[in-house]
Amino acid sequence: MVRTNDPEVVWDKPNEVDDKWIQFIDDNVLAKLPEGSRPLGIDRCGSSYWTKGAEIITEQLDGSRVSFFLKARTVRSRNVAA
């Protein structure tokens, strides 16, 4: 294994997940947040060879801020014979 300080490189290979998947909050994700949650933003939060993580920062009805975390990954399609 090659060690590096570059957060994009893990196990000496670049992370295959495009940053575009963690630059917005999908409507399906918003629908799963607690009722009354108001999204304030999304920030990159960690990565591995298989995934990139994101922190969704929200404001709740009582004014408190709560963060939710998700991981995004790329799935390659394969031709499978049945």
Side-chain angles (χ1 to χ4, degrees), residues 4-71:
T4 177
N5 290 328
D6 184 346
E8 289 296 311
V9 179
V10 181
W11 297 311
D12 80 346
K13 296 178 185 171
N15 186 302
E16 296 179 356
V17 181
D18 194 316
D19 278 339
K20 71 180 180 182
W21 300 116
I22 58 170
Q23 292 177 342
F24 67 96
I25 306 170
D26 184 89
D27 289 339
N28 293 305
V29 173
L30 289 173
K32 296 295 183 181
L33 296 176
E35 189 173 332
S37 295
R38 185 171 67 94
L40 301 176
I42 184 168
D43 290 320
R44 185 175 172 178
C45 182
S47 68
S48 70
Y49 182 67
W50 304 105
T51 66
K52 284 196 178 170
E55 175 186 16
I56 300 170
I57 302 121
T58 66
E59 182 175 78
Q60 302 303 299
L61 290 174
D62 65 1
S64 64
R65 290 193 177 189
V66 176
S67 292
F68 297 89
F69 298 87
L70 61 82
K71 288 186 177 182

